[in-house]
Amino acid sequence: MMRFSGLLTTLAATTLLAGCTTTEAETASASAPAAEEMAMYDVNAYPLIDREALFGNPERAQGRLSPDGQWMSWIAPYNGVMNVWVAPRGNMAAAKVVTNDTHRGISNHQWTVDSDHILYLKDNDGDEKNHVYAVDPATGTARDLTPYEGVSAQIRGVSRDKPGVILVGLNDRNAQLHDLYEIDLATGERTLILENPGYAAIISDNVYAPRMAALMQPDGSMKLMWLKEDMTPGEVFAEVPSEDLLNTNISGFHRDNNTVYMTDSRGVDIAALKAIDLTTGEVKVIAQGSKADINGIYRDIETYEPIAYSSNYLKNEWTALTPEAQAELDFLQSNLAGEISVTSRTDDDRYWIVHQSAAEAPGVYHLYDRESDTLTEWFSTRPDLEGAPLQPMMPLELKARDGRTLVSYLTLPPGSDTDGDGRPEEAVPMLLWVHGGPWARDSYGYNTVHQWMANRGYAVLSVNYRGSTGFGKAHTNAAVGEFAGKMHDDLIDAVDWAIAEGVTEADSVAIGGGSYGGYATLTGVAFTPDRFACGVDIVGPSSLVTLIESFPEYWKPFLAGTWFRYVGDPSDPEQREDLLARSAISRIDDISAPLLVGQGGNDPRVTKQEADNLVAAMQAKGLPVTYINFPDEGHGFQKPENRLAFFAAMEGFLETCLGGRAQPLGDAFEGSSAEVLAGAQYVDGLDAVSGGGE
């Protein structure tokens, strides 16, 4: 069931996601590296990878098996829109589409435990007010299980021990709080399980019985309380200090519901995986990571006990806890290159779907028959990229100025590193691509932006700055009070490393990213305007004050432990002043680099006012800014037509700024909702395809 800070982590980590420095664009263009200088390592000897192969819909994705093993399912385009498909196991010739979305597409799906339905979530143009849908795989009949206007529905439980019903959270009674309901899959009838009186999170067991509730404290800590029969708080199960909030989670129950499993960072830096006997109170440490947090748990199909776990430092690694699990890992790792994960298993545990990926290859799904020891390739997500000049990604351990280790990832252009030492023979332009969150992380593996930008002639560097999760609580907590401070210093230190190592030159670095990465971009061009030639801000906040004040209502129970603690509370006058001082909107006069801004018109996390206010202020100062809004998108760009449009503009923007190569805009804006609201003149060809923008 649900982790008690898992909801906090999910909300916080995705709150801010997923990128020239002069007053005139002509000056920036003139100072960019010349095309002939770019050719010193002969990137043009390598084919230009078509943008659609990178950013268009995958051919297939999300391979799954029904629990009874009779069906295989996936999402794939139908009339150009991602929908759910099914086929009898072993008979792909009988594949059929069972959903009929004609707009933004379906991005997720899972089976019910009885194999009678497929569940998926869908919102309205990115507003994140999700509805839960169930579709019959045999007939294709779909039903909205949560047909309530303006409600954000959450799937809280799909348990083998409660077939025929699912557990759902709904905030139709109180926008800030999700009540718990069981919903009958056959009839759609909902039954109230718990009316939430103000709990930040509710922990239910395998039969959907609410067992504990999380109560946030004013200092950002949390008390996890036992629930009495009347659902009021009882005794304290655990007190979680604020510094442990993002690293301590309940991960599930034993099948008998008498043992709970949790990752626990209290008293240590790297969280331990523990089993707590709820009858005796005995605590057993099952495993503990060394350099990285435990990020995945593989369970016994019958008992739900952990039998293997993964942790991700430079790369993701699995560790077995039983001889049987070790044998399975050995078999898979000896037959599949790169990183592996099991995405679904049948109830008898005979069949698994195994996902394989590597930095130079998008994901491939395999059907594993454990009885016959056969591993059969099922599909590749992007077969059009097979044979393309995809590049290796290099994990790095960089050092911040205070000695903190920053796990980072570097990808170089094809042909630039002829001796294979991980450094280009000649310095190349570089994009510093910043992950969102900030409570998230960059990882090793196939990365579309890294491959795309490397193919266009840029080095791409991604940094797990302080505040990134997965590296222990000290690294996460080092971000408290450091927005536009040491978090930004980490990025600058990484750029300085790249310059010192000959990867790039000081005047040839762009910064970009989405959500928090967009905030980091704005911080980069406003607080350190001499360090970046240009920036790409995707759904990034220009003001921390208006950002926090406009968060969705159902985030408010969590703000004390995340945003108020790490950044500040805008209701406090002194903290409000500090929040503004850490916001790019207060330093418009310091911006001189050209900026490309992408925004989703329905974004509930970083609302459109963040981009509107920034662009208006820059225009008032005569600063070069290009602004593209997508009215049918939210926090990021889901529709492939919109992705293609924005990234085509980004490619042209960076070509002007840094001198890399670019695929012509062509028909990239066809079918897109893109509104170019400012600065079309700063991207070659954008006037013609967009209708312009003043």
mmCIF file with all atom_site columns, all heavy atoms in Angstrom, residues 15 23 25 49 70 80 90 95 107 141 146 171 175 219 266 309 311 370 411 443 464 474 566 648 656 658:
data_model
loop_
_atom_site.group_PDB
_atom_site.id
_atom_site.type_symbol
_atom_site.label_atom_id
_atom_site.label_alt_id
_atom_site.label_comp_id
_atom_site.label_asym_id
_atom_site.label_entity_id
_atom_site.label_seq_id
_atom_site.pdbx_PDB_ins_code
_atom_site.Cartn_x
_atom_site.Cartn_y
_atom_site.Cartn_z
_atom_site.occupancy
_atom_site.B_iso_or_equiv
_atom_site.pdbx_formal_charge
_atom_site.auth_seq_id
_atom_site.auth_comp_id
_atom_site.auth_asym_id
_atom_site.auth_atom_id
_atom_site.pdbx_PDB_model_num
ATOM 1   N N   . THR A 1 15  ? 7.150   18.621  -8.056  1.00 0.00 ? 15  THR A N   1
ATOM 2   C CA  . THR A 1 15  ? 6.612   19.972  -8.027  1.00 0.00 ? 15  THR A CA  1
ATOM 3   C C   . THR A 1 15  ? 7.300   20.845  -9.058  1.00 0.00 ? 15  THR A C   1
ATOM 4   O O   . THR A 1 15  ? 6.685   21.543  -9.841  1.00 0.00 ? 15  THR A O   1
ATOM 5   C CB  . THR A 1 15  ? 6.811   20.589  -6.630  1.00 0.00 ? 15  THR A CB  1
ATOM 6   O OG1 . THR A 1 15  ? 6.097   19.813  -5.693  1.00 0.00 ? 15  THR A OG1 1
ATOM 7   C CG2 . THR A 1 15  ? 6.270   21.997  -6.595  1.00 0.00 ? 15  THR A CG2 1
ATOM 8   N N   . THR A 1 23  ? 22.708  42.000  -24.338 1.00 0.00 ? 23  THR A N   1
ATOM 9   C CA  . THR A 1 23  ? 21.434  42.697  -24.446 1.00 0.00 ? 23  THR A CA  1
ATOM 10  C C   . THR A 1 23  ? 20.872  42.641  -25.852 1.00 0.00 ? 23  THR A C   1
ATOM 11  O O   . THR A 1 23  ? 19.734  43.005  -26.059 1.00 0.00 ? 23  THR A O   1
ATOM 12  C CB  . THR A 1 23  ? 21.604  44.161  -24.033 1.00 0.00 ? 23  THR A CB  1
ATOM 13  O OG1 . THR A 1 23  ? 22.629  44.758  -24.823 1.00 0.00 ? 23  THR A OG1 1
ATOM 14  C CG2 . THR A 1 23  ? 21.982  44.247  -22.563 1.00 0.00 ? 23  THR A CG2 1
ATOM 15  N N   . ALA A 1 25  ? 20.520  40.158  -29.478 1.00 0.00 ? 25  ALA A N   1
ATOM 16  C CA  . ALA A 1 25  ? 20.712  38.829  -30.043 1.00 0.00 ? 25  ALA A CA  1
ATOM 17  C C   . ALA A 1 25  ? 21.844  38.820  -31.056 1.00 0.00 ? 25  ALA A C   1
ATOM 18  O O   . ALA A 1 25  ? 22.550  37.822  -31.216 1.00 0.00 ? 25  ALA A O   1
ATOM 19  C CB  . ALA A 1 25  ? 19.424  38.338  -30.706 1.00 0.00 ? 25  ALA A CB  1
ATOM 20  N N   . ILE A 1 49  ? 20.071  12.794  -36.353 1.00 0.00 ? 49  ILE A N   1
ATOM 21  C CA  . ILE A 1 49  ? 18.936  11.967  -35.932 1.00 0.00 ? 49  ILE A CA  1
ATOM 22  C C   . ILE A 1 49  ? 17.670  12.807  -36.021 1.00 0.00 ? 49  ILE A C   1
ATOM 23  O O   . ILE A 1 49  ? 17.600  13.912  -35.489 1.00 0.00 ? 49  ILE A O   1
ATOM 24  C CB  . ILE A 1 49  ? 19.129  11.449  -34.494 1.00 0.00 ? 49  ILE A CB  1
ATOM 25  C CG1 . ILE A 1 49  ? 20.409  10.631  -34.392 1.00 0.00 ? 49  ILE A CG1 1
ATOM 26  C CG2 . ILE A 1 49  ? 17.934  10.596  -34.074 1.00 0.00 ? 49  ILE A CG2 1
ATOM 27  C CD1 . ILE A 1 49  ? 20.744  10.195  -32.965 1.00 0.00 ? 49  ILE A CD1 1
ATOM 28  N N   . GLN A 1 70  ? -2.871  -14.435 -19.284 1.00 0.00 ? 70  GLN A N   1
ATOM 29  C CA  . GLN A 1 70  ? -3.567  -14.631 -20.550 1.00 0.00 ? 70  GLN A CA  1
ATOM 30  C C   . GLN A 1 70  ? -3.356  -13.477 -21.527 1.00 0.00 ? 70  GLN A C   1
ATOM 31  O O   . GLN A 1 70  ? -3.444  -13.668 -22.740 1.00 0.00 ? 70  GLN A O   1
ATOM 32  C CB  . GLN A 1 70  ? -5.065  -14.817 -20.293 1.00 0.00 ? 70  GLN A CB  1
ATOM 33  C CG  . GLN A 1 70  ? -5.397  -16.029 -19.435 1.00 0.00 ? 70  GLN A CG  1
ATOM 34  C CD  . GLN A 1 70  ? -4.860  -17.315 -20.028 1.00 0.00 ? 70  GLN A CD  1
ATOM 35  O OE1 . GLN A 1 70  ? -5.147  -17.651 -21.174 1.00 0.00 ? 70  GLN A OE1 1
ATOM 36  N NE2 . GLN A 1 70  ? -4.050  -18.028 -19.251 1.00 0.00 ? 70  GLN A NE2 1
ATOM 37  N N   . GLY A 1 80  ? -2.318  8.095   -34.299 1.00 0.00 ? 80  GLY A N   1
ATOM 38  C CA  . GLY A 1 80  ? -1.367  9.094   -33.854 1.00 0.00 ? 80  GLY A CA  1
ATOM 39  C C   . GLY A 1 80  ? -1.432  9.454   -32.386 1.00 0.00 ? 80  GLY A C   1
ATOM 40  O O   . GLY A 1 80  ? -0.652  10.291  -31.921 1.00 0.00 ? 80  GLY A O   1
ATOM 41  N N   . GLY A 1 90  ? 1.495   -14.509 -26.474 1.00 0.00 ? 90  GLY A N   1
ATOM 42  C CA  . GLY A 1 90  ? 2.052   -15.340 -27.529 1.00 0.00 ? 90  GLY A CA  1
ATOM 43  C C   . GLY A 1 90  ? 1.390   -15.186 -28.879 1.00 0.00 ? 90  GLY A C   1
ATOM 44  O O   . GLY A 1 90  ? 1.723   -15.910 -29.815 1.00 0.00 ? 90  GLY A O   1
ATOM 45  N N   . ALA A 1 95  ? -3.438  -8.598  -31.857 1.00 0.00 ? 95  ALA A N   1
ATOM 46  C CA  . ALA A 1 95  ? -3.425  -7.362  -31.074 1.00 0.00 ? 95  ALA A CA  1
ATOM 47  C C   . ALA A 1 95  ? -4.582  -6.455  -31.475 1.00 0.00 ? 95  ALA A C   1
ATOM 48  O O   . ALA A 1 95  ? -4.954  -6.355  -32.652 1.00 0.00 ? 95  ALA A O   1
ATOM 49  C CB  . ALA A 1 95  ? -2.100  -6.635  -31.275 1.00 0.00 ? 95  ALA A CB  1
ATOM 50  N N   . SER A 1 107 ? -1.017  7.805   -20.834 1.00 0.00 ? 107 SER A N   1
ATOM 51  C CA  . SER A 1 107 ? 0.404   7.688   -20.508 1.00 0.00 ? 107 SER A CA  1
ATOM 52  C C   . SER A 1 107 ? 0.692   6.624   -19.457 1.00 0.00 ? 107 SER A C   1
ATOM 53  O O   . SER A 1 107 ? 1.848   6.447   -19.071 1.00 0.00 ? 107 SER A O   1
ATOM 54  C CB  . SER A 1 107 ? 0.939   9.036   -20.009 1.00 0.00 ? 107 SER A CB  1
ATOM 55  O OG  . SER A 1 107 ? 0.241   9.464   -18.850 1.00 0.00 ? 107 SER A OG  1
ATOM 56  N N   . THR A 1 141 ? -14.861 -1.827  -23.574 1.00 0.00 ? 141 THR A N   1
ATOM 57  C CA  . THR A 1 141 ? -15.782 -0.925  -22.882 1.00 0.00 ? 141 THR A CA  1
ATOM 58  C C   . THR A 1 141 ? -15.060 -0.234  -21.727 1.00 0.00 ? 141 THR A C   1
ATOM 59  O O   . THR A 1 141 ? -14.491 -0.899  -20.850 1.00 0.00 ? 141 THR A O   1
ATOM 60  C CB  . THR A 1 141 ? -16.992 -1.695  -22.338 1.00 0.00 ? 141 THR A CB  1
ATOM 61  O OG1 . THR A 1 141 ? -17.649 -2.353  -23.427 1.00 0.00 ? 141 THR A OG1 1
ATOM 62  C CG2 . THR A 1 141 ? -17.954 -0.756  -21.637 1.00 0.00 ? 141 THR A CG2 1
ATOM 63  N N   . THR A 1 146 ? -14.526 7.552   -11.417 1.00 0.00 ? 146 THR A N   1
ATOM 64  C CA  . THR A 1 146 ? -14.559 8.736   -10.537 1.00 0.00 ? 146 THR A CA  1
ATOM 65  C C   . THR A 1 146 ? -15.109 9.925   -11.316 1.00 0.00 ? 146 THR A C   1
ATOM 66  O O   . THR A 1 146 ? -14.392 10.909  -11.545 1.00 0.00 ? 146 THR A O   1
ATOM 67  C CB  . THR A 1 146 ? -13.152 9.040   -9.997  1.00 0.00 ? 146 THR A CB  1
ATOM 68  O OG1 . THR A 1 146 ? -12.244 9.198   -11.102 1.00 0.00 ? 146 THR A OG1 1
ATOM 69  C CG2 . THR A 1 146 ? -12.652 7.910   -9.117  1.00 0.00 ? 146 THR A CG2 1
ATOM 70  N N   . ASN A 1 171 ? -10.832 13.916  -3.380  1.00 0.00 ? 171 ASN A N   1
ATOM 71  C CA  . ASN A 1 171 ? -10.938 15.167  -2.615  1.00 0.00 ? 171 ASN A CA  1
ATOM 72  C C   . ASN A 1 171 ? -12.176 15.960  -3.009  1.00 0.00 ? 171 ASN A C   1
ATOM 73  O O   . ASN A 1 171 ? -12.149 17.186  -3.064  1.00 0.00 ? 171 ASN A O   1
ATOM 74  C CB  . ASN A 1 171 ? -9.669  16.008  -2.793  1.00 0.00 ? 171 ASN A CB  1
ATOM 75  C CG  . ASN A 1 171 ? -9.451  16.476  -4.221  1.00 0.00 ? 171 ASN A CG  1
ATOM 76  O OD1 . ASN A 1 171 ? -9.980  15.900  -5.169  1.00 0.00 ? 171 ASN A OD1 1
ATOM 77  N ND2 . ASN A 1 171 ? -8.659  17.530  -4.391  1.00 0.00 ? 171 ASN A ND2 1
ATOM 78  N N   . ALA A 1 175 ? -11.154 20.069  -0.863  1.00 0.00 ? 175 ALA A N   1
ATOM 79  C CA  . ALA A 1 175 ? -10.126 20.124  -1.901  1.00 0.00 ? 175 ALA A CA  1
ATOM 80  C C   . ALA A 1 175 ? -8.738  19.829  -1.370  1.00 0.00 ? 175 ALA A C   1
ATOM 81  O O   . ALA A 1 175 ? -7.862  19.379  -2.113  1.00 0.00 ? 175 ALA A O   1
ATOM 82  C CB  . ALA A 1 175 ? -10.144 21.496  -2.585  1.00 0.00 ? 175 ALA A CB  1
ATOM 83  N N   . ASP A 1 219 ? 6.871   22.205  12.903  1.00 0.00 ? 219 ASP A N   1
ATOM 84  C CA  . ASP A 1 219 ? 8.300   22.321  12.616  1.00 0.00 ? 219 ASP A CA  1
ATOM 85  C C   . ASP A 1 219 ? 8.727   21.510  11.400  1.00 0.00 ? 219 ASP A C   1
ATOM 86  O O   . ASP A 1 219 ? 9.915   21.412  11.093  1.00 0.00 ? 219 ASP A O   1
ATOM 87  C CB  . ASP A 1 219 ? 9.124   21.901  13.835  1.00 0.00 ? 219 ASP A CB  1
ATOM 88  C CG  . ASP A 1 219 ? 8.943   20.423  14.189  1.00 0.00 ? 219 ASP A CG  1
ATOM 89  O OD1 . ASP A 1 219 ? 8.101   19.742  13.559  1.00 0.00 ? 219 ASP A OD1 1
ATOM 90  O OD2 . ASP A 1 219 ? 9.631   19.951  15.117  1.00 0.00 ? 219 ASP A OD2 1
ATOM 91  N N   . ARG A 1 266 ? 16.361  7.472   10.062  1.00 0.00 ? 266 ARG A N   1
ATOM 92  C CA  . ARG A 1 266 ? 16.535  8.053   11.392  1.00 0.00 ? 266 ARG A CA  1
ATOM 93  C C   . ARG A 1 266 ? 17.788  7.475   12.058  1.00 0.00 ? 266 ARG A C   1
ATOM 94  O O   . ARG A 1 266 ? 17.952  6.270   12.151  1.00 0.00 ? 266 ARG A O   1
ATOM 95  C CB  . ARG A 1 266 ? 15.301  7.793   12.248  1.00 0.00 ? 266 ARG A CB  1
ATOM 96  C CG  . ARG A 1 266 ? 14.067  8.560   11.791  1.00 0.00 ? 266 ARG A CG  1
ATOM 97  C CD  . ARG A 1 266 ? 12.832  8.148   12.553  1.00 0.00 ? 266 ARG A CD  1
ATOM 98  N NE  . ARG A 1 266 ? 12.517  6.738   12.357  1.00 0.00 ? 266 ARG A NE  1
ATOM 99  C CZ  . ARG A 1 266 ? 11.620  6.062   13.060  1.00 0.00 ? 266 ARG A CZ  1
ATOM 100 N NH1 . ARG A 1 266 ? 10.935  6.676   14.007  1.00 0.00 ? 266 ARG A NH1 1
ATOM 101 N NH2 . ARG A 1 266 ? 11.395  4.780   12.826  1.00 0.00 ? 266 ARG A NH2 1
ATOM 102 N N   . TYR A 1 309 ? 16.791  -5.972  -3.495  1.00 0.00 ? 309 TYR A N   1
ATOM 103 C CA  . TYR A 1 309 ? 16.611  -4.518  -3.477  1.00 0.00 ? 309 TYR A CA  1
ATOM 104 C C   . TYR A 1 309 ? 17.621  -3.880  -4.418  1.00 0.00 ? 309 TYR A C   1
ATOM 105 O O   . TYR A 1 309 ? 18.658  -4.475  -4.749  1.00 0.00 ? 309 TYR A O   1
ATOM 106 C CB  . TYR A 1 309 ? 16.769  -3.957  -2.061  1.00 0.00 ? 309 TYR A CB  1
ATOM 107 C CG  . TYR A 1 309 ? 18.170  -4.059  -1.500  1.00 0.00 ? 309 TYR A CG  1
ATOM 108 C CD1 . TYR A 1 309 ? 19.083  -3.011  -1.661  1.00 0.00 ? 309 TYR A CD1 1
ATOM 109 C CD2 . TYR A 1 309 ? 18.581  -5.195  -0.808  1.00 0.00 ? 309 TYR A CD2 1
ATOM 110 C CE1 . TYR A 1 309 ? 20.369  -3.105  -1.153  1.00 0.00 ? 309 TYR A CE1 1
ATOM 111 C CE2 . TYR A 1 309 ? 19.861  -5.289  -0.298  1.00 0.00 ? 309 TYR A CE2 1
ATOM 112 C CZ  . TYR A 1 309 ? 20.756  -4.247  -0.470  1.00 0.00 ? 309 TYR A CZ  1
ATOM 113 O OH  . TYR A 1 309 ? 22.027  -4.335  0.023   1.00 0.00 ? 309 TYR A OH  1
ATOM 114 N N   . SER A 1 311 ? 19.798  -0.156  -5.399  1.00 0.00 ? 311 SER A N   1
ATOM 115 C CA  . SER A 1 311 ? 20.253  1.177   -5.018  1.00 0.00 ? 311 SER A CA  1
ATOM 116 C C   . SER A 1 311 ? 21.006  1.759   -6.200  1.00 0.00 ? 311 SER A C   1
ATOM 117 O O   . SER A 1 311 ? 21.603  1.028   -6.999  1.00 0.00 ? 311 SER A O   1
ATOM 118 C CB  . SER A 1 311 ? 21.135  1.141   -3.766  1.00 0.00 ? 311 SER A CB  1
ATOM 119 O OG  . SER A 1 311 ? 22.301  0.370   -3.996  1.00 0.00 ? 311 SER A OG  1
ATOM 120 N N   . ARG A 1 370 ? 10.013  -18.487 -16.660 1.00 0.00 ? 370 ARG A N   1
ATOM 121 C CA  . ARG A 1 370 ? 10.905  -19.027 -15.637 1.00 0.00 ? 370 ARG A CA  1
ATOM 122 C C   . ARG A 1 370 ? 10.876  -20.549 -15.589 1.00 0.00 ? 370 ARG A C   1
ATOM 123 O O   . ARG A 1 370 ? 11.823  -21.179 -15.109 1.00 0.00 ? 370 ARG A O   1
ATOM 124 C CB  . ARG A 1 370 ? 10.535  -18.460 -14.265 1.00 0.00 ? 370 ARG A CB  1
ATOM 125 C CG  . ARG A 1 370 ? 10.708  -16.954 -14.174 1.00 0.00 ? 370 ARG A CG  1
ATOM 126 C CD  . ARG A 1 370 ? 10.242  -16.402 -12.837 1.00 0.00 ? 370 ARG A CD  1
ATOM 127 N NE  . ARG A 1 370 ? 11.057  -16.877 -11.738 1.00 0.00 ? 370 ARG A NE  1
ATOM 128 C CZ  . ARG A 1 370 ? 10.584  -17.487 -10.663 1.00 0.00 ? 370 ARG A CZ  1
ATOM 129 N NH1 . ARG A 1 370 ? 9.274   -17.718 -10.548 1.00 0.00 ? 370 ARG A NH1 1
ATOM 130 N NH2 . ARG A 1 370 ? 11.388  -17.872 -9.694  1.00 0.00 ? 370 ARG A NH2 1
ATOM 131 N N   . THR A 1 411 ? 27.601  13.399  -21.516 1.00 0.00 ? 411 THR A N   1
ATOM 132 C CA  . THR A 1 411 ? 27.507  12.786  -22.837 1.00 0.00 ? 411 THR A CA  1
ATOM 133 C C   . THR A 1 411 ? 28.186  13.715  -23.828 1.00 0.00 ? 411 THR A C   1
ATOM 134 O O   . THR A 1 411 ? 27.949  14.929  -23.803 1.00 0.00 ? 411 THR A O   1
ATOM 135 C CB  . THR A 1 411 ? 26.043  12.550  -23.241 1.00 0.00 ? 411 THR A CB  1
ATOM 136 O OG1 . THR A 1 411 ? 25.400  11.754  -22.234 1.00 0.00 ? 411 THR A OG1 1
ATOM 137 C CG2 . THR A 1 411 ? 25.953  11.824  -24.575 1.00 0.00 ? 411 THR A CG2 1
ATOM 138 N N   . SER A 1 443 ? 19.947  10.104  -13.492 1.00 0.00 ? 443 SER A N   1
ATOM 139 C CA  . SER A 1 443 ? 20.448  8.736   -13.417 1.00 0.00 ? 443 SER A CA  1
ATOM 140 C C   . SER A 1 443 ? 21.108  8.348   -14.728 1.00 0.00 ? 443 SER A C   1
ATOM 141 O O   . SER A 1 443 ? 20.871  8.953   -15.775 1.00 0.00 ? 443 SER A O   1
ATOM 142 C CB  . SER A 1 443 ? 19.309  7.750   -13.116 1.00 0.00 ? 443 SER A CB  1
ATOM 143 O OG  . SER A 1 443 ? 18.724  8.004   -11.859 1.00 0.00 ? 443 SER A OG  1
ATOM 144 N N   . ASN A 1 464 ? 23.715  16.075  -10.061 1.00 0.00 ? 464 ASN A N   1
ATOM 145 C CA  . ASN A 1 464 ? 22.862  15.847  -8.894  1.00 0.00 ? 464 ASN A CA  1
ATOM 146 C C   . ASN A 1 464 ? 23.308  16.784  -7.769  1.00 0.00 ? 464 ASN A C   1
ATOM 147 O O   . ASN A 1 464 ? 23.997  16.397  -6.819  1.00 0.00 ? 464 ASN A O   1
ATOM 148 C CB  . ASN A 1 464 ? 22.910  14.381  -8.473  1.00 0.00 ? 464 ASN A CB  1
ATOM 149 C CG  . ASN A 1 464 ? 22.080  13.507  -9.387  1.00 0.00 ? 464 ASN A CG  1
ATOM 150 O OD1 . ASN A 1 464 ? 20.891  13.737  -9.563  1.00 0.00 ? 464 ASN A OD1 1
ATOM 151 N ND2 . ASN A 1 464 ? 22.714  12.521  -9.997  1.00 0.00 ? 464 ASN A ND2 1
ATOM 152 N N   . ALA A 1 474 ? 21.839  13.510  4.187   1.00 0.00 ? 474 ALA A N   1
ATOM 153 C CA  . ALA A 1 474 ? 22.725  14.671  4.313   1.00 0.00 ? 474 ALA A CA  1
ATOM 154 C C   . ALA A 1 474 ? 22.769  15.448  3.008   1.00 0.00 ? 474 ALA A C   1
ATOM 155 O O   . ALA A 1 474 ? 22.769  16.686  3.013   1.00 0.00 ? 474 ALA A O   1
ATOM 156 C CB  . ALA A 1 474 ? 24.126  14.223  4.725   1.00 0.00 ? 474 ALA A CB  1
ATOM 157 N N   . TYR A 1 566 ? 12.406  23.983  3.316   1.00 0.00 ? 566 TYR A N   1
ATOM 158 C CA  . TYR A 1 566 ? 13.553  24.126  2.419   1.00 0.00 ? 566 TYR A CA  1
ATOM 159 C C   . TYR A 1 566 ? 13.681  25.541  1.849   1.00 0.00 ? 566 TYR A C   1
ATOM 160 O O   . TYR A 1 566 ? 14.784  26.013  1.598   1.00 0.00 ? 566 TYR A O   1
ATOM 161 C CB  . TYR A 1 566 ? 13.453  23.125  1.263   1.00 0.00 ? 566 TYR A CB  1
ATOM 162 C CG  . TYR A 1 566 ? 13.929  21.742  1.620   1.00 0.00 ? 566 TYR A CG  1
ATOM 163 C CD1 . TYR A 1 566 ? 13.096  20.844  2.280   1.00 0.00 ? 566 TYR A CD1 1
ATOM 164 C CD2 . TYR A 1 566 ? 15.215  21.324  1.307   1.00 0.00 ? 566 TYR A CD2 1
ATOM 165 C CE1 . TYR A 1 566 ? 13.528  19.565  2.619   1.00 0.00 ? 566 TYR A CE1 1
ATOM 166 C CE2 . TYR A 1 566 ? 15.658  20.051  1.636   1.00 0.00 ? 566 TYR A CE2 1
ATOM 167 C CZ  . TYR A 1 566 ? 14.821  19.179  2.289   1.00 0.00 ? 566 TYR A CZ  1
ATOM 168 O OH  . TYR A 1 566 ? 15.262  17.915  2.625   1.00 0.00 ? 566 TYR A OH  1
ATOM 169 N N   . ALA A 1 648 ? 11.930  21.700  -31.468 1.00 0.00 ? 648 ALA A N   1
ATOM 170 C CA  . ALA A 1 648 ? 12.427  22.266  -32.728 1.00 0.00 ? 648 ALA A CA  1
ATOM 171 C C   . ALA A 1 648 ? 12.849  23.714  -32.512 1.00 0.00 ? 648 ALA A C   1
ATOM 172 O O   . ALA A 1 648 ? 13.901  24.161  -33.004 1.00 0.00 ? 648 ALA A O   1
ATOM 173 C CB  . ALA A 1 648 ? 11.358  22.173  -33.807 1.00 0.00 ? 648 ALA A CB  1
ATOM 174 N N   . THR A 1 656 ? 21.573  29.340  -32.885 1.00 0.00 ? 656 THR A N   1
ATOM 175 C CA  . THR A 1 656 ? 21.913  30.761  -32.942 1.00 0.00 ? 656 THR A CA  1
ATOM 176 C C   . THR A 1 656 ? 22.862  31.146  -31.819 1.00 0.00 ? 656 THR A C   1
ATOM 177 O O   . THR A 1 656 ? 23.809  31.910  -32.017 1.00 0.00 ? 656 THR A O   1
ATOM 178 C CB  . THR A 1 656 ? 20.635  31.611  -32.847 1.00 0.00 ? 656 THR A CB  1
ATOM 179 O OG1 . THR A 1 656 ? 19.786  31.292  -33.950 1.00 0.00 ? 656 THR A OG1 1
ATOM 180 C CG2 . THR A 1 656 ? 20.956  33.094  -32.860 1.00 0.00 ? 656 THR A CG2 1
ATOM 181 N N   . LEU A 1 658 ? 24.866  29.023  -29.692 1.00 0.00 ? 658 LEU A N   1
ATOM 182 C CA  . LEU A 1 658 ? 26.116  28.296  -29.495 1.00 0.00 ? 658 LEU A CA  1
ATOM 183 C C   . LEU A 1 658 ? 26.743  27.759  -30.773 1.00 0.00 ? 658 LEU A C   1
ATOM 184 O O   . LEU A 1 658 ? 27.885  27.310  -30.744 1.00 0.00 ? 658 LEU A O   1
ATOM 185 C CB  . LEU A 1 658 ? 25.895  27.129  -28.531 1.00 0.00 ? 658 LEU A CB  1
ATOM 186 C CG  . LEU A 1 658 ? 25.571  27.485  -27.076 1.00 0.00 ? 658 LEU A CG  1
ATOM 187 C CD1 . LEU A 1 658 ? 25.413  26.208  -26.256 1.00 0.00 ? 658 LEU A CD1 1
ATOM 188 C CD2 . LEU A 1 658 ? 26.641  28.365  -26.467 1.00 0.00 ? 658 LEU A CD2 1
#
